[in-house]
Amino acid sequence: FLGEAGELLASQCRAILKSNRRNIAMVHEQDDNLDACEFARFFTTTPDDLIADDLYAEIALAFHEQPFRQVSYVLAAQKLGAVRGGRRRSRKVIAA
């Protein structure tokens, strides 16, 4: 995200990092048909303060192309709290 959308995203990330809740699930698109890019690019477009505050401390989940895309969806869902065949209590979503 660049421009206004990038600034909004950066301010939301700052609020989450400041709250010490660290509930940011990051995914990295791997499909060139869906505008994939090298991960190193994020370090040139992410504001320095977010990098210094360990935004990238946790490794991003790779969103692979088919036939592995479904696995990426499942891993992302698990990262967000999904459990196989079970029900979870709903979590509050905090908007910055």
Side-chain angles (χ1 to χ4, degrees):
F1 291 86
L2 300 172
E4 282 185 42
E7 285 301 318
L8 178 59
L9 178 60
S11 68
Q12 291 170 337
C13 288
R14 285 182 188 104
I16 291 168
L17 292 172
K18 190 176 192 177
S19 74
N20 290 321
R21 290 186 51 107
R22 306 258 174 197
N23 290 338
I24 299 175
M26 290 196 282
V27 296
H28 180 210
E29 182 60 64
Q30 301 292 307
D31 189 338
D32 289 331
N33 294 320
L34 296 173
D35 297 326
C37 67
E38 293 292 325
F39 193 78
R41 182 169 191 265
F42 298 123
F43 291 96
T44 64
T45 59
T46 301
D48 291 338
D49 65 302
L50 292 176
I51 294 171
D53 286 342
D54 292 329
L55 177 64
Y56 297 117
E58 216 173 299
I59 295 175
L61 174 65
F63 248 48
H64 293 285
E65 3 180 285
Q66 295 298 346
F68 307 108
R69 190 64 161 205
Q70 191 65 32
V71 173
S72 297
Y73 287 137
V74 170
L75 293 173
Q78 288 173 340
K79 174 73 176 162
L80 294 170
V83 293
R84 182 180 177 146
R87 294 186 175 266
R88 264 176 52 77
R89 294 184 333 195
S90 64
R91 259 188 353 199
K92 292 182 182 179
V93 176
I94 299 173

